[in-house]
Amino acid sequence: MSDHECKDCHEKEQENVEAISFARDVENEVIQGIYANIIIWPIVACIFCYIAYKINTSLLPYVFIDEQFHVDQTLRYLRGEWREWNGKITTPPGLYIMGWIQYHITRFMTNWSTLTVLRLTNFIGGVVIWPWVVLRPLYLFNALGFWPVTLMCFPLMVSYYFLYYTDVWSTIFIIESLTLAMVLPFGEKYSIWLSALCGLISCFFRQTNIVWNGMIMILVVERRAMIEKNFNTLSFNNYLKLLLQALENFKTLVLPYFINFVLFAMFLIYNRSITLGDKENHVAGLHVVQFFYCLMFIAFFSVPVWFSKQLTISYLLRFIMNPVQYLLELLGIMIIIRFFTIVHPFLLADNRHIPFYLFRKLIGRSRIFKYFGMAPIYHFCTYIYFEIMRPSVMVFHPILPIEIKNPIDLPIQLSHISWTVLMMCTFMTVVPSPLFEPRYYILPFIFWRLFITMPPEPFWGNPEGKLTGTKRHFAECAWFLFINLIMYIIFKKVEIKWPSENTLQHIIW
């Protein structure tokens, strides 16, 4: 295909996108979304309450997998042993402090077991704080993008609403940092400082959140630079304008987050590692295939977002029109699989996690499938990751300035700069880890998903009349609930006996 033909195709595609946007029934879509959230949330909350009751009374009334370390450390704090530390714990004490607070608030109100009370910390966070405090303000600014009740049902998070793990509050604090930076509910100055504080607190639950602090800082600077420095179609110039904005407004925009980076650097120097304990089994490496694992999970969970006739045809056309490029890309992926795959001993030894079965039955089932089966899957998932974000990235005029003069009035969208930073942050948080852990993909998915506007076109067929993304929103929520149902059935029905454990084991993510 010639450059001229490519340009014509691109222009026609843009016209189609504009036509779809023009025909979108925004008012009805927003109203339907508000009602859907109000109706679905109490139903789902009641279901989750029932599951929590069953888990704590009959299915799992004892510590499970890593809970033994987290509960043990919290009990030490409850006994006043603040200087004692369990050497198997790799994360800072944020969860244990939250558990300590939760226990002292709840112990006078109920006769529940200590384990149930501690698990309640994550349940309240996931079912109440996450959708209503963290996501709701962002939703009000981007009602066409996502539903809070849907992200509340995100399967990788739901599993940990019922357990005592670090992931729920790690996500809550870092996304609250993003919310404060985007929505500015307390004015620009105080909101940015509170955003940085939430970002710092999130690092007490998971150290890699310092990377997402950088992402949020870039967004804060970028949203002012694009207005004050007049972003345009010259990408390199925009990077220079961003740098100038950061230098000129260092005290107000950069310093709050810069303090977090300095404190984290001091922690690294003092600890001599990013992990606190069990350093032998958590050595950082170059596990590049982990990035493809992450994109594979993102593509799987976002099927209702991307599945369409248009995307399927565009992927096939890309292969038909550029077969040599496609084969070279596959070759590159195969080289990465060959030289940058790490199979951690924990992966093959622990049959209580989904990755154990994924690796044995799919990813690593045979040498031939590992390369010729998985490489095309990774390629397609990478295409989805980029292609779904592309229509949601801000487009600037070559000359004319942005008409918006206040950052709070800007849409919840990424520019080409922050989109690049998002990819870098995703890479930096998952690739160093030798473990194939789906919960490491929670934040890469959430950050990616929050900045996507749900496409309004039908799942299959041609667009007709006024379009909305409501069906896709409903489908996404139903998809998450269906996955959660399957995982709950597996968790309930499949019981595993371990020689080293006195209690029955179950399967989680």
Side-chain angles (χ1 to χ4, degrees), residues 49-64:
C49 284
Y50 171 77
I51 294 173
Y53 170 77
K54 293 295 290 183
I55 285 176
N56 284 282
T57 56
S58 58
L59 290 176
L60 204 66
Y62 45 83
V63 293
F64 181 60

Side-chain angles (χ1 to χ4, degrees), residues 289 292 326-341 367-379:
V289 172
F292 292 125
Y326 176 79
L327 292 174
L328 287 174
E329 289 168 350
L330 282 187
L331 179 61
I333 293 173
M334 290 178 186
I335 291 171
I336 291 172
I337 293 172
R338 172 63 181 85
F339 293 103
F340 298 99
T341 297
R367 187 175 294 273
I368 293 175
F369 190 80
K370 179 180 177 180
Y371 293 101
F372 295 97
M374 293 309 300
I377 293 175
Y378 296 152
H379 186 277

Side-chain angles (χ1 to χ4, degrees), residues 82 94 115 235 261 285 290 408 424:
W82 292 94
L115 177 60
S235 299
F261 302 141
Q290 181 94 265
I408 199 173
M424 291 172 60

Side-chain angles (χ1 to χ4, degrees), residues 52 55-57 60-61 102 112-121:
I55 285 176
N56 284 282
T57 56
L60 204 66
Q102 174 70 31
W112 292 341
S113 69
T114 302
L115 177 60
T116 301
V117 170
L118 294 181
R119 286 174 174 174
L120 189 63
T121 306

Side-chain angles (χ1 to χ4, degrees), residues 209 299 347 386 399 472 488:
N209 282 357
L347 173 62
F386 287 97
I399 301 173
R472 286 185 178 270
Y488 178 67

Side-chain angles (χ1 to χ4, degrees), residues 150-376:
T150 300
L151 292 186
M152 182 188 82
C153 299
F154 180 48
L156 292 186
M157 284 191 68
V158 167
S159 296
Y160 301 102
Y161 295 167
F162 314 109
L163 300 174
Y164 192 55
Y165 272 63
T166 61
D167 304 273
V168 174
W169 281 96
S170 163
T171 304
I172 286 173
F173 275 111
I174 194 62
I175 301 300
E176 177 61 16
S177 175
L178 173 70
T179 298
L180 290 167
M182 296 287 100
V183 178
L184 304 176
F186 305 105
E188 183 170 276
K189 178 181 176 182
Y190 293 111
S191 294
I192 289 175
W193 277 98
L194 284 172
S195 168
L197 178 61
C198 285
L200 178 63
I201 293 173
S202 77
C203 294
F204 281 85
F205 293 83
R206 188 166 294 282
Q207 299 95 309
T208 51
N209 282 357
I210 192 65
V211 175
W212 298 108
N213 274 255
M215 167 84 186
I216 295 167
M217 182 191 72
I218 293 295
L219 283 166
V220 167
V221 177
E222 174 191 72
R223 289 169 74 82
R224 284 140 189 88
M226 65 175 60
I227 293 172
E228 297 177 19
K229 303 298 183 185
N230 186 24
F231 273 21
N232 53 37
T233 52
L234 298 174
S235 299
F236 181 73
N237 282 0
N238 292 341
Y239 279 96
L240 293 177
K241 291 172 182 178
L242 178 79
L243 178 60
L244 285 173
Q245 185 76 21
L247 293 174
E248 292 173 3
N249 299 272
F250 182 84
K251 262 189 183 179
T252 56
L253 303 182
V254 178
L255 181 61
Y257 303 96
F258 185 75
I259 292 172
N260 293 356
F261 302 141
V262 171
L263 292 174
F264 189 79
M266 292 170 63
F267 159 74
L268 288 180
I269 294 169
Y270 172 78
N271 191 56
R272 297 182 181 180
S273 171
I274 194 169
T275 58
L276 286 176
D278 198 19
K279 296 178 182 179
E280 295 80 10
N281 290 314
H282 294 83
V283 178
L286 201 59
H287 191 188
V288 182
V289 172
Q290 181 94 265
F291 185 69
F292 292 125
Y293 296 162
C294 179
L295 299 190
M296 184 171 61
F297 270 78
I298 289 175
F300 171 73
F301 288 121
S302 63
V303 168
V305 179
W306 59 259
F307 182 78
S308 68
K309 179 181 178 181
Q310 181 182 354
L311 184 135
T312 305
I313 292 174
S314 67
Y315 183 75
L316 292 174
L317 283 175
R318 187 179 185 277
F319 165 66
I320 293 169
M321 302 304 295
N322 300 286
V324 176
Q325 180 182 343
Y326 176 79
L327 292 174
L328 287 174
E329 289 168 350
L330 282 187
L331 179 61
I333 293 173
M334 290 178 186
I335 291 171
I336 291 172
I337 293 172
R338 172 63 181 85
F339 293 103
F340 298 99
T341 297
I342 298 175
V343 182
H344 197 281
F346 287 1
L347 173 62
L348 301 177
D350 197 338
N351 60 353
R352 298 169 297 180
H353 292 92
I354 290 295
F356 171 86
Y357 302 95
L358 276 177
F359 198 85
R360 292 192 64 181
K361 302 295 183 181
L362 182 69
I363 296 171
R365 58 182 291 184
S366 69
R367 187 175 294 273
I368 293 175
F369 190 80
K370 179 180 177 180
Y371 293 101
F372 295 97
M374 293 309 300

